Amino acid sequence: MHVLKFGGTSLGSAAAMKNVKEIVQKYLVKQRLIIVASAMGGTTDLLIEAGRKAAEQNEQYKEILKKIEVLHLETIKELFPIQDQRHILSFTKSLCNELEDLVNGIFMLNELSTRTLDRLMSFGELMSSRILAALFALDSKHSIWKDARAFIKTNDQYGNAAIDFTTTNRRLKELLLEDAHLIIIPGFIGSGPDQSTTTLGRGGSDYTAAIVAAGVDADIMEIWTDVSGIMTADPRWVSNAKPIPAISYKEAMELSHFGAKVIYPPTIQPVLNKNIPVWIKNTFSPSDPGTIIHNESSGGNETIKGISSIHDIALLSLEGSGMVGIPGFSKRLFEALAQEKINVILITQSSSEHSICVAVASSSAEKAMLAIDEAFEREIALGIIDPLFIEKELSIVALVGENMKSHPGISGKMFGTFGRNGINVRAIAQGSSERNISAVISTDDVRKAVNVLHEEFFETSFKQINLFIAGVGNVGKRLLAQIKQQHVFLMEHLRVQIHVVGLINSRKMVFTEEGIKGNWEEQLEQGEDAHLDIFVDRIVSRNLRNTVFVDVTAHDEVANTYASFLQKSIAVVACNKIAAASAYANYAHLKFLAREYNTKFLFETNVGAGLPVIGTLNDLLRSGDDILKIEAVLSGTLNYVFNHYDGSRKFSEVVKQAQDEGYTEPDPRLDLSGTDVARKIMILARESGEKIEIDSIENISFLPPSCMKGSVADFYVELEKHETHFRTLYDEAVAKKNKLKFVATYSKGKASVGLQHINEQHDFYHLYGKDNIVRFTTNRYPDQPLVVKGAGAGADVTASGVFADILRSIG
Ligand code: ADP
Ligand code: ASP
Ligand code: MG
């Protein structure tokens, strides 16, 4: 005998039911079968809703009932040839009438008892199983429908009735005597001591199948559902979840207990007792191997079989000195909960015995609080125990695997992963069987937690970065192009996949959780109007794993958002210099946040574009070197100007040409005044450990003060007037065979910027085009300084520096 259970989606439409029939017909020839049917997908929820609405005097219940009726009648019309419809149609209609009478009664009485609710919920399975039975009866005389209430006997705990196994098993043995090859029964329902209808808990058709399988000593029980087996994580959350080929009963129990909805938790026990294998199969892809649940764990190398999670958890903490060393304390606590029939999902007790924490469903938190406060009334009054403390909006995430007991380091890896992703753990429990480790975390973090754990334990080969980019100007555009171009390389060589999840410019913004694919420019154009605060809120609230915020703007309002990311453990990569060059306290605070929340604040491109300047400096310091001096030429604009100015053309003309060729800011004075260079040397000084502000950097400007006044046009006029000044600067340098370079220096706590004469022996002499150069004189490089030199401006190199920071930011 085989027992097959088909779930709600598997019976959710006429097409699905036909599919089921085909699957079953493959077996019919060879086997006797019992088929357990769930309600058509969604029906149980609708029945409950109708009942609640009626009890609340809301007449909308009628529409809901109509919906249920239409679903079933339409399914019949689609499934059966016209000449065969009559009987099952009228039967279903009479069930619908009965259902309507029942709900009208609820409406009139203004009351929905748990007993009536069970009766109400039973209609889903009653209707679907009847339709299925009629479908099989079309071509088989050996198929019959049986009412589960005749043999699944329970107590009267409506909504979650407990099985009377003695009577049930006896009646199931009688069921075997039926002269039928195929027996179809409704799942989920049973009958209580007074014959009233009871139900076995939501999702309980799985349990019906297991009870029946055990009662008839089936060879195998099959659960046909809408996924190809038990997956390594809930596939609705983790796109890379994959089916687990084989799993032990105990592992399956733990996974379902901790929220893997694919099997209803009590299901395993009856089949485990009889050692009946359970096969989870996909109705919509029957040739997929599915998952086999049996006596042993599949061995293999995997230590972790799956990850699951439960939501709507409340954590109850009882604390106080009165608990220390007094035996029977936890007993009283659990008795108080048991008396109220509150299911304890997880327990932790501190080794000092000073506190005990239990996790229960949020819906029972208030009841639990009353029960516990009452049980410990005396101790609370004496002040030796604090009143119960409740935290809500929590979830539990559990790692499950039989083999973890022989593998040290699993919990280290689990909590390390949480730490790196800013996920705060409120309580931890490890089953003494060492078959699971579970952690209570905030519900806001649970999706991220499941994903990062999945990545860590099942996709070691592959990590996803979720990127949000502010600014899509020259650098932003190049960055997006580079990310696209490197896609395959990153997957193959670094096992990294970058999803650009959000983009914002000054006008528009766009979000796509799966990552923006195709033409981002079009998608941004069609996006919502830009609101930076909304953009920031979404990044934080989406709480995706490995999130990186990239700022390729030059706006201070964007720079002001960094703290809100860092304190959520979201990495920040800034091309924008404003934050690193702002007041020291702000810079230091951002660095502190990055350390404190285990994330990265990177801004390599603030100095020398894509050149490894800050990275080199950090490496020197981290490895114990001391910085004695930094000298640098850091302005592409000033290089350009002094490389092109040789007296043959006016200084103002050269500056104009630099501007026309895009080497300067819209107001060239920002570059020529040395302000930008001063910010860069300040950032290097700060990275070297100096508490330095912009005012304390000496700026020996070569621009006559009058050039700094008025508009850009006035500035050019003024430049022309001072041609002799510039000519003199040039001639003096040439006379000594020197070149003019605008040099930034930092040494012994002091920084300065200004024009210098550079002779031919100097590293800075041969510096052309947009090149930047930085010389680090250190303890380890005292005579021959360490030199970093190369293009220090340009969209492509800057974008590649940002790109490198992005990859660095996720470690
Ligand atoms: P049925 O109606 O067939 O009983 P359920 O909806 O009760 O189906 O259970 C199947 C669903 O369980 C899947 O569609 C999936 O969304 C969810 N699920 C949650 N965790 C897991 C998991 N670890 N493996 C497979 N499915 C899971
Ligand atoms: N129909 C019931 C429910 O939705 C039982 C089941 O589908 O297993 O909970
Ligand atoms: Mg189910």
Side-chain angles (χ1 to χ4, degrees), residues 73 76 85-95 97:
L73 297 184
I76 293 170
Q85 285 176 6
R86 204 171 49 90
H87 185 68
I88 182 69
L89 263 184
S90 65
F91 185 83
T92 308
K93 278 186 188 153
S94 72
L95 274 179
N97 290 341

Side-chain angles (χ1 to χ4, degrees), residues 468-487:
F468 292 84
I469 303 177
V472 285
N474 286 340
V475 177
K477 279 200 182 79
R478 293 306 309 145
L479 176 64
L480 284 159
Q482 288 176 9
I483 290 172
K484 194 166 173 185
Q485 184 205 320
Q486 281 304 90
H487 181 76

Side-chain angles (χ1 to χ4, degrees), residues 453-498:
L453 288 179
H454 197 267
E455 229 167 51
E456 193 68 34
F457 286 97
F458 295 104
E459 305 163 37
T460 25
S461 55
F462 160 49
K463 193 167 207 163
Q464 183 179 316
I465 304 181
N466 292 298
L467 213 60
F468 292 84
I469 303 177
V472 285
N474 286 340
V475 177
K477 279 200 182 79
R478 293 306 309 145
L479 176 64
L480 284 159
Q482 288 176 9
I483 290 172
K484 194 166 173 185
Q485 184 205 320
Q486 281 304 90
H487 181 76
V488 174
F489 178 90
L490 291 178
M491 296 268 282
E492 284 176 3
H493 296 272
L494 294 182
R495 304 286 184 202
V496 159
Q497 189 180 30
I498 299 186

Side-chain angles (χ1 to χ4, degrees), residues 38-39 44 125 188 202-205:
S38 281
T44 314
E125 268 70 10
F188 185 47
R202 292 304 307 274
S205 297

Side-chain angles (χ1 to χ4, degrees), residues 5-10 38 206 224-227 229-236 259-262 307:
K5 176 255 171 178
F6 289 91
T9 322
S10 305
S38 281
D206 296 343
W224 289 80
T225 181
D226 58 0
V227 274
I230 304 184
M231 318 277 274
T232 46
D234 188 337
R236 285 165 301 184
K261 189 193 167 207
V262 61
I307 302 164

